Amino acid sequence: MPPTRITEDAFRRVLREGMPSGAAMAFDVLTLEHGRAVLRMRAGAADIRPGGTVAGPVLFALADLAVYAAVMSAVGEVPLAVTTDATIHFLRRPRATTLVARARLLKEGQRLVVGEVTIEHEGEDGAPVAHAVMTYSVPPAR
Amino acid sequence: MPPTRITEDAFRRVLREGMPSGAAMAFDVLTLEHGRAVLRMRAGAADIRPGGTVAGPVLFALADLAVYAAVMSAVGEVPLAVTTDATIHFLRRPRATTLVARARLLKEGQRLVVGEVTIEHEGEDGAPVAHAVMTYSVPPAR
Amino acid sequence: MPPTRITEDAFRRVLREGMPSGAAMAFDVLTLEHGRAVLRMRAGAADIRPGGTVAGPVLFALADLAVYAAVMSAVGEVPLAVTTDATIHFLRRPRATTLVARARLLKEGQRLVVGEVTIEHEGEDGAPVAHAVMTYSVPPAR
Amino acid sequence: MPPTRITEDAFRRVLREGMPSGAAMAFDVLTLEHGRAVLRMRAGAADIRPGGTVAGPVLFALADLAVYAAVMSAVGEVPLAVTTDATIHFLRRPRATTLVARARLLKEGQRLVVGEVTIEHEGEDGAPVAHAVMTYSVPPAR
């Protein structure tokens, strides 16, 4: 199996230095392997909509973070990697509980890296609340 | 021209009551007409990434807000309308300045409303930093 | 496990009656279970681009067909189900060989059914040439 | 205004040599300017579904063709440009009549070119039957 090219510590440092909004999210890293990342997040008070659901942009931010981790697990520290396109489907009304995002890469190209991510309530596999596909553009000089 | 079915005051109230994260964004409403909404937002400190750019999830949240306003301008107050799918393309590195989001509806169906939105730096028409297409599902009982 | 609500014969009949362009594609049905469909297709002469690759719209048509089969395997014969949105990522240059499309549903709603599909060269699991997510709108009266 | 970098004749030649399925579509080129292309197509018998509507993959192929023309109008003949992602929304049931696809570029990058396209019935502006956003990856050596 190809090596995991980033540690959790390095990932958190990249966020602190380059994406404060990501660093501010209260997440645990459950898995970090080459091309795969699993993050767990408890929705905070600011994320919750009346009725006890989680706002769409919060799910988007979590999905983006998980794919970003998967990208760096495969290509290493590339703080300047940027999302070029993202498609998210909101599938079920998320409850304001703990969410798990599982990301894996579909393509690991020289310039473009594509990943998909599924977000579920913790402990409820198979009934995703959101699914996203995202492309990251990786700078050539690395 | 068909009527504008929501006022800015009512839109802000729907946000306060149903989407606190949207209400917390510092935006002005420049236009609110049937099927069209233009919002202006100055990026806040928390939204900015080192290098003076704006985080992708912040652009997503702004795009979502502008389409939500356009949806309600056409179908009226539907606090329970939810985004079902969203595709965003990040086109240029956004600067941490004032952004303008222009949303318009592509389809105004009974159940599904589709809108597109372009985000630009204020005063720089024609060079969008992001473009999104979003579908809102509207509850049948309205 | 919930029942498979369509047979291969019925699926092919729905295509012949309602989607001649789908019926004209030379495909085998490898799997048809509740919410899952696997189709195999050999690219025809008209589908191939110089250099021996397969045109994007052909992959789109195959992806659409596989998700349509998965939709009907779950909700039964709904000839009037229509695609409302589709996002496809072209991941690798497809060779003009036999392609396998694996579709599964992410959401089985009353009105909206969302599926994802991966297309690979036959015998080459794990290196998809395309990935798509598609939403079908299902008529209420069924 | 920047120059139009391809003629209709050259565009048709690129299709004949590199995308026979595109060359086989019966389309007229109404406009071809730097970053903009308008194509008109009459749906053929094979494209039509019972009830007199047009199959989704046919709309996808038309959208792809129009964006491809817009890409080459801006960057010149790049037969090896490939679509990397495409999102299409089907907005209204298309009638089996003449369709007009209007494509324009949103971003003209060194490596990635993004365009959007709207498909309407001829003579019915403002009520699109489909809308798509597509990214083309352009080879570096050109």
Side-chain angles (χ1 to χ4, degrees):
Chain A
M1 202 168 97
T4 307
R5 295 199 197 280
I6 198 163
T7 62
E8 179 180 339
D9 281 355
F11 176 58
R12 290 190 182 274
R13 180 173 38 74
V14 168
L15 292 183
R16 279 194 310 271
E17 293 173 358
M19 198 193 283
S21 57
M25 291 173 71
F27 67 89
D28 301 318
V29 175
L30 301 190
T31 303
L32 196 56
E33 290 171 5
H34 187 103
R36 288 186 61 236
V38 183
L39 306 187
R40 177 171 57 189
M41 185 192 76
R42 173 163 279 280
D47 307 330
I48 298 176
R49 293 178 61 169
T53 189
V54 180
V58 176
L59 296 182
F60 181 89
L62 174 59
D64 192 42
L65 202 61
V67 176
Y68 193 38
V71 168
M72 284 195 282
S73 75
V75 303
E77 280 192 43
V78 279
L80 294 181
V82 292
T83 312
T84 56
D85 68 83
T87 294
I88 188 163
H89 282 77
F90 299 101
L91 302 166
R92 282 170 193 78
R93 192 169 284 269
R95 298 193 310 278
T97 177
T98 303
L99 298 168
V100 175
R102 297 172 206 278
R104 69 186 184 97
L105 299 187
L106 297 169
K107 173 199 168 92
E108 214 187 298
Q110 291 291 315
R111 309 191 312 180
L112 297 178
V113 181
V114 182
E116 76 167 329
V117 55
T118 299
I119 300 179
E120 297 173 319
H121 295 121
E122 190 173 38
E124 295 181 20
D125 285 9
V129 300
H131 174 276
V133 186
M134 294 177 165
T135 304
Y136 270 78
S137 174
V138 178
R142 52 178 168 115
Chain B
M1 203 169 95
T4 307
R5 296 199 197 279
I6 199 166
T7 62
E8 179 181 338
D9 280 355
F11 176 58
R12 291 190 182 274
R13 179 174 38 76
V14 168
L15 292 182
R16 280 194 308 272
E17 294 174 358
M19 198 192 284
S21 58
M25 292 174 72
F27 67 89
D28 301 317
V29 176
L30 301 190
T31 303
L32 197 56
E33 290 170 6
H34 187 103
R36 289 187 60 236
V38 183
L39 306 187
R40 177 171 58 190
M41 186 192 76
R42 174 164 277 281
D47 308 330
I48 298 177
R49 294 179 60 170
T53 189
V54 180
V58 176
L59 296 182
F60 181 89
L62 174 59
D64 192 41
L65 202 61
V67 176
Y68 193 38
V71 168
M72 285 195 282
S73 75
V75 303
E77 279 192 43
V78 279
L80 294 181
V82 291
T83 312
T84 55
D85 68 83
T87 293
I88 188 163
H89 282 77
F90 299 101
L91 302 166
R92 281 169 193 78
R93 193 169 283 270
R95 299 193 310 279
T97 178
T98 302
L99 298 168
V100 175
R102 297 172 207 278
R104 69 186 184 98
L105 299 187
L106 296 169
K107 172 198 168 93
E108 214 188 299
Q110 291 290 317
R111 308 190 312 180
L112 298 178
V113 181
V114 182
E116 76 167 330
V117 55
T118 299
I119 299 179
E120 297 172 320
H121 295 121
E122 189 173 39
E124 294 182 20
D125 285 9
V129 301
H131 175 275
V133 186
M134 294 176 164
T135 304
Y136 270 77
S137 174
V138 178
R142 53 179 167 112
Chain C
M1 203 169 97
T4 307
R5 296 199 196 278
I6 198 164
T7 63
E8 180 181 338
D9 280 355
F11 176 57
R12 290 191 182 274
R13 178 172 40 74
V14 168
L15 292 183
R16 279 194 309 270
E17 293 173 358
M19 199 193 283
S21 58
M25 292 174 71
F27 67 88
D28 301 318
V29 176
L30 301 190
T31 303
L32 196 57
E33 290 170 4
H34 187 103
R36 288 187 61 235
V38 183
L39 306 187
R40 177 170 57 190
M41 185 192 77
R42 173 164 278 280
D47 307 331
I48 298 176
R49 294 179 60 170
T53 189
V54 180
V58 175
L59 296 181
F60 181 90
L62 174 60
D64 192 42
L65 202 61
V67 176
Y68 193 38
V71 169
M72 284 196 282
S73 75
V75 302
E77 279 192 44
V78 279
L80 294 181
V82 291
T83 313
T84 55
D85 68 83
T87 293
I88 188 162
H89 282 77
F90 299 102
L91 302 165
R92 282 169 193 79
R93 192 169 284 268
R95 299 192 310 278
T97 177
T98 302
L99 298 168
V100 175
R102 297 172 206 279
R104 69 186 183 96
L105 299 187
L106 296 169
K107 172 198 168 93
E108 214 187 297
Q110 291 290 317
R111 308 191 311 181
L112 297 178
V113 180
V114 182
E116 77 167 329
V117 55
T118 299
I119 299 179
E120 297 172 320
H121 295 122
E122 189 172 38
E124 294 182 20
D125 285 9
V129 300
H131 175 275
V133 186
M134 294 176 166
T135 304
Y136 270 78
S137 174
V138 178
R142 51 176 169 118
Chain D
M1 203 168 98
T4 307
R5 295 198 198 280
I6 199 165
T7 62
E8 179 180 339
D9 281 356
F11 176 57
R12 290 190 182 274
R13 179 173 40 74
V14 169
L15 292 182
R16 279 194 310 270
E17 293 173 359
M19 198 193 283
S21 59
M25 291 174 72
F27 67 88
D28 302 317
V29 176
L30 302 190
T31 303
L32 197 56
E33 289 170 7
H34 187 102
R36 288 187 60 234
V38 183
L39 306 187
R40 178 171 56 191
M41 186 193 76
R42 174 164 278 281
D47 308 330
I48 298 177
R49 293 179 60 171
T53 189
V54 180
V58 176
L59 296 182
F60 182 89
L62 174 59
D64 192 42
L65 201 61
V67 176
Y68 193 38
V71 169
M72 285 196 282
S73 75
V75 303
E77 280 192 43
V78 280
L80 294 181
V82 291
T83 312
T84 56
D85 68 82
T87 293
I88 188 163
H89 282 77
F90 298 101
L91 302 166
R92 281 170 193 79
R93 192 169 283 269
R95 298 193 311 278
T97 177
T98 303
L99 298 168
V100 175
R102 297 172 206 279
R104 69 186 184 96
L105 299 187
L106 296 168
K107 173 199 167 92
E108 212 187 300
Q110 291 290 316
R111 309 191 310 182
L112 297 178
V113 180
V114 182
E116 76 167 330
V117 54
T118 299
I119 300 179
E120 297 172 319
H121 295 121
E122 190 173 38
E124 294 181 19
D125 285 9
V129 300
H131 175 275
V133 186
M134 294 176 165
T135 304
Y136 270 78
S137 174
V138 178
R142 55 177 164 112

